[in-house]
Amino acid sequence: MASSSYSNNSPCAACKFLRRKCMSDCIFSPYFPPEEPHKFVNVHKIFGASNVSKILNEVLPHQREDAVNSLAYEAEARIKDPVYGCVGAISVLQRQVLRLQKELDAANADLIRYSACSETPTTHHGGSGFYYPWNNHG
Amino acid sequence: MASSSYSNNSPCAACKFLRRKCMSDCIFSPYFPPEEPHKFVNVHKIFGASNVSKILNEVLPHQREDAVNSLAYEAEARIKDPVYGCVGAISVLQRQVLRLQKELDAANADLIRYSACSETPTTHHGGSGFYYPWNNHG
């Protein structure tokens, strides 16, 4: 009877880690397969099994996979960078957006200058391989 | 003697929430002032006090304020969006970077066309207020 209460042949990664029976209605089972033990270890380390379970119960069943994947992403980022976690990635992306916006503004300003001297748009003359410094910014 | 063990006149937001004495060596006290109760409530709800304490002990003292602020940011994002949390912001920024890169590539391609017809760069002729569709993308 006990073995038939497992949702699969082997318990999910969460139940295996928590050393408990993996029941057929286990909230973790569909999202933490035994083949990916680190996924649960990471979210457990950062959020705690109880908080993960609460979040999963709070969202709709079809949203749970996305919720688990975003939690796993956050947990991994926090383990790699305990100070900033995935907020570090947000800062990098925000700086990248600002840099690209600045480069785009500069390119548009150049285009305005060119277009003011040329009433009809020119046709394409190739230019492949032409070096532009703004294509090579770090 | 009990009252002198508080780090300030009033306990920090963490100790107040956890209904415990706020000792002079409280790990939360410098980062969770009593005036900002929600900061601790949020990180406690998402990460748990124990995990926050572990992360704070794992990083250097001068990094703890940044660690708390990034945890508070993540917690607030997860409360607002239980499915994606701040990973949602990362997706939005990644799409924004791709869009800007595409617009920049298009602007650079236009510049290549213009420059192929004009050997010397033109001087600036104003153009303020000139409408360009790529300045107005959603």
Side-chain angles (χ1 to χ4, degrees), chain A residues 44-48 51 55 58-59 63 66-67 70-71 73-74 78 82-87 89-90 93-94 96-97 100-101 103-105 107-108 110-118 122-127 132 134-135, chain B residues 44-48 51 55 58-59 63 66-67 70-71 73-74 78 82-87 89-90 93-94 96-97 100-101 103-104 107-108 110-118 122-127 130 132 134-135:
Chain A
H44 176 65
K45 184 180 158 83
I46 300 301
F47 298 100
N51 285 336
I55 290 169
E58 201 181 322
V59 305
Q63 299 175 312
D66 280 353
S70 69
L71 287 167
Y73 181 90
E74 275 190 60
R78 180 64 62 178
V83 181
Y84 296 104
C86 73
V87 181
I90 291 176
L93 284 164
Q94 282 174 336
Q96 207 174 347
V97 164
L100 283 168
Q101 189 62 62
E103 288 178 27
L104 183 61
D105 290 347
N108 284 339
D110 284 345
L111 278 174
I112 290 171
R113 271 183 258 157
Y114 277 119
S115 67
C117 294
S118 162
T122 58
T123 54
H124 190 271
H125 293 281
Y132 277 94
W134 49 75
N135 284 330
Chain B
H44 176 65
K45 184 181 159 83
I46 300 302
F47 298 99
N51 285 336
I55 290 169
E58 201 183 322
V59 305
Q63 298 176 313
D66 280 354
S70 69
L71 287 166
Y73 181 89
E74 276 190 60
R78 181 65 60 177
V83 181
Y84 296 104
C86 74
V87 181
I90 290 177
L93 283 164
Q94 281 174 336
Q96 207 174 346
V97 164
L100 283 168
Q101 189 63 62
E103 288 178 26
L104 183 61
N108 285 338
D110 284 346
L111 278 174
I112 290 171
R113 272 183 257 156
Y114 275 119
S115 67
C117 295
S118 161
T122 58
T123 54
H124 190 271
H125 293 281
F130 200 90
Y132 276 94
W134 49 75
N135 284 331

